[in-house]
């Protein structure tokens, strides 16, 4: 599994999540539950942009999260723009036990309550620090330095929050991939979104084949600039390269090469014989545990 940030900053929690998931697999647990548990541990950390550490939207108040799980048996669960839950990855896992694949917005939150997930709203100090930096960039007219997708766009003219005016107001994904003793691959992905964001913005983590994919050939989780990942269907593209017979490490490198240097992108992937971690910046950190 991996997440954005410097290796020294996040290695402790990554290792804990990885070891916990591995222990579950060693006991005969399935890969879907293993990646879900790894993602839950990272969501609880507060330093990652997922779960408790999710970024604030442009209004400085709203938190909307996306999360997804998938395995090579065809189980898929997705929540999009869900609010007021501690662990969106657990809600996504619960969606796999319904006739649906994806739930969004108020429906996703209502489903969480129905399944017993208690209301939760928390802004970590890391999320507050990110928002303060973002707000300063907006004041200085340098928003595109934080996110290239905003180059040439005026924030005020696109403002769509009704709980606070523009005048009053003024990014990283976690992922886990695994294979269990039965040879089933699984992936989990969770994010608080990409800062800065308009209300209702959906990124790659909630879109199958973009931020995540799992099939008979392996499992893949991605991170980076969501809009650009969606445009390239990053996860499925790399998966198809692997399915065609390419080595997983070469396949991931080819995937990263689809992005220009200024667009951040990272990927983790696992197959039956190997794994790969690739990124075009130092944004991605990972921890690996494998059976000896």
């Amino acid at each position: 599994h991996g997440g954005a940030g410097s290796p020294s900053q996040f290695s402790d929690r990554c290792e804990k999540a990885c070891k916990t998931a591995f222990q579950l697999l060693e006991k005969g647990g399935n890969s879907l539950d293993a990646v879900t548990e790894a993602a839950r541990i990272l969501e609880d950390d507060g330093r990652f942009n997922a779960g408790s550490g999710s970024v604030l939207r442009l209004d400085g108040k709203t938190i909307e999260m996306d999360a997804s799980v998938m395995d090579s048996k065809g189980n898929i669960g997705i929540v999009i723009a869900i609010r007021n839950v501690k662990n969106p990855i657990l809600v996504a896992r619960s969606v796999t036990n319904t006739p649906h694949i994806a739930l969004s917005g108020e429906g996703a939150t209502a489903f969480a309550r129905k399944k017993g997930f208690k209301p939760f709203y928390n802004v970590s100090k890391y999320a507050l620090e990110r928002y303060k930096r973002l707000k300063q960039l907006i004041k200085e007219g340098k928003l595109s330095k934080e996110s290239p997708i905003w180059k040439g766009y005026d924030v005020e003219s696109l403002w769509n929050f009704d709980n606070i005016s523009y005048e009053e107001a003024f990014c990283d994904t976690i992922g886990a991939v695994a294979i269990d003793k039965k040879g089933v691959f699984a992936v989990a992905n969770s994010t608080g979104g990409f800062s800065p964001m308009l209300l209702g913005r959906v990124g790659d983590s909630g879109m199958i084949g973009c931020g995540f994919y799992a099939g008979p050939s392996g499992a893949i989780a991605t991170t980076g600039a969501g809009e650009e990942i969606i445009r390239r269907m990053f996860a499925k593209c790399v998966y198809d390269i692997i399915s065609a017979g390419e080595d997983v490490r070469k396949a991931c490198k080819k995937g990263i090469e689809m992005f220009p240097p200024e667009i951040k992108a990272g990927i983790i992937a696992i197959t039956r014989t190997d794994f790969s971690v690739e990124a075009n910046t130092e944004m991605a950190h990972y921890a690996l545990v494998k059976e000896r």
Side-chain angles (χ1 to χ4, degrees):
H1 62 81
S6 65
S8 61
Q9 184 182 7
F10 297 148
S11 61
D12 57 337
R13 189 50 64 108
C14 277
E15 289 173 4
K16 177 181 178 182
C18 204
K19 289 179 179 178
T20 300
F22 180 65
Q23 288 170 359
L24 192 156
L25 292 170
E26 269 196 320
K27 295 177 181 178
N30 67 66
S31 54
L32 194 61
D33 287 338
V35 295
T36 300
E37 180 61 11
R40 183 199 64 77
I41 291 172
L42 297 179
E43 284 182 339
D44 286 347
D45 185 84
R47 293 175 292 179
F48 296 94
N49 177 13
S52 298
S54 295
V55 297
L56 292 160
R57 302 257 159 158
L58 283 169
D59 62 347
K61 296 180 179 180
T62 304
I63 294 175
E64 293 179 326
M65 301 164 287
D66 306 331
S68 54
V69 296
M70 181 178 182
D71 69 13
S72 53
K73 295 172 65 178
N75 294 303
I76 308 170
I78 303 168
V79 291
I80 298 171
I82 192 171
R83 298 189 186 188
N84 300 318
V85 295
K86 185 178 182 181
N87 296 109
I89 199 67
L90 297 183
V91 186
R93 178 67 177 87
S94 293
V95 173
T96 65
N97 297 318
T98 76
H100 305 308
I101 286 178
L103 295 175
S104 66
E106 293 181 3
T109 303
F111 174 74
R113 299 291 175 265
K114 183 70 174 181
K115 300 302 294 184
F117 295 100
K118 297 179 180 179
F120 178 86
Y121 178 86
N122 178 68
V123 182
S124 74
K125 66 176 182 179
Y126 300 96
L128 286 173
E129 289 171 359
R130 284 193 291 263
Y131 182 72
K132 288 179 180 178
R133 183 179 71 250
L134 171 66
K135 194 172 182 179
Q136 185 60 37
L137 288 172
I138 292 175
K139 289 180 179 179
E140 296 174 358
K142 300 178 180 178
L143 187 58
S144 60
K145 288 189 175 182
E146 177 75 10
S147 173
I149 70 168
W150 281 93
K151 186 175 182 179
Y153 291 96
D154 175 49
V155 179
E156 185 173 5
S157 67
L158 298 174
W159 193 260
N160 67 342
F161 298 91
D162 59 10
N163 61 341
I164 187 172
S165 69
Y166 175 79
E167 290 78 12
E168 291 175 313
F170 310 51
C171 257
D172 327 358
T173 301
I174 61 160
V177 293
I179 180 173
D180 60 28
K181 291 186 176 182
K182 294 182 179 179
V184 178
F185 291 101
V187 57
N189 222 357
S190 182
T191 184
F194 186 73
S195 184
M197 302 166 295
L198 292 175
L199 187 65
R201 179 265 186 187
V202 178
D204 60 292
S205 292
M207 296 191 180
I208 185 173
C210 300
F212 68 98
Y213 197 81
S217 298
I220 295 170
T222 75
T223 184
E227 278 71 13
E228 298 305 318
I229 287 174
I230 293 169
R231 286 189 175 97
R232 292 163 176 79
M233 290 195 72
F234 190 17
K236 185 59 164 58
C237 181
V238 173
Y239 178 86
D240 288 343
I241 295 173
I242 294 171
S243 294
E246 184 66 273
D247 172 78
V248 64
R249 296 174 187 257
K250 292 181 180 179
C252 288
K253 286 181 180 178
K254 288 181 179 179
I256 291 296
E257 289 171 357
M258 296 191 302
F259 297 85
E262 65 272 17
I263 302 297
K264 295 180 180 181
I267 185 171
I268 58 174
I270 189 171
T271 64
R272 298 187 189 283
T273 58
D274 205 355
F275 77 98
S276 180
V277 180
E278 290 289 337
N280 60 6
T281 69
E282 293 184 357
M283 64 186 299
H285 175 62
Y286 76 96
L288 169 73
V289 174
K290 60 182 179 180
E291 187 173 3
R292 288 179 172 81

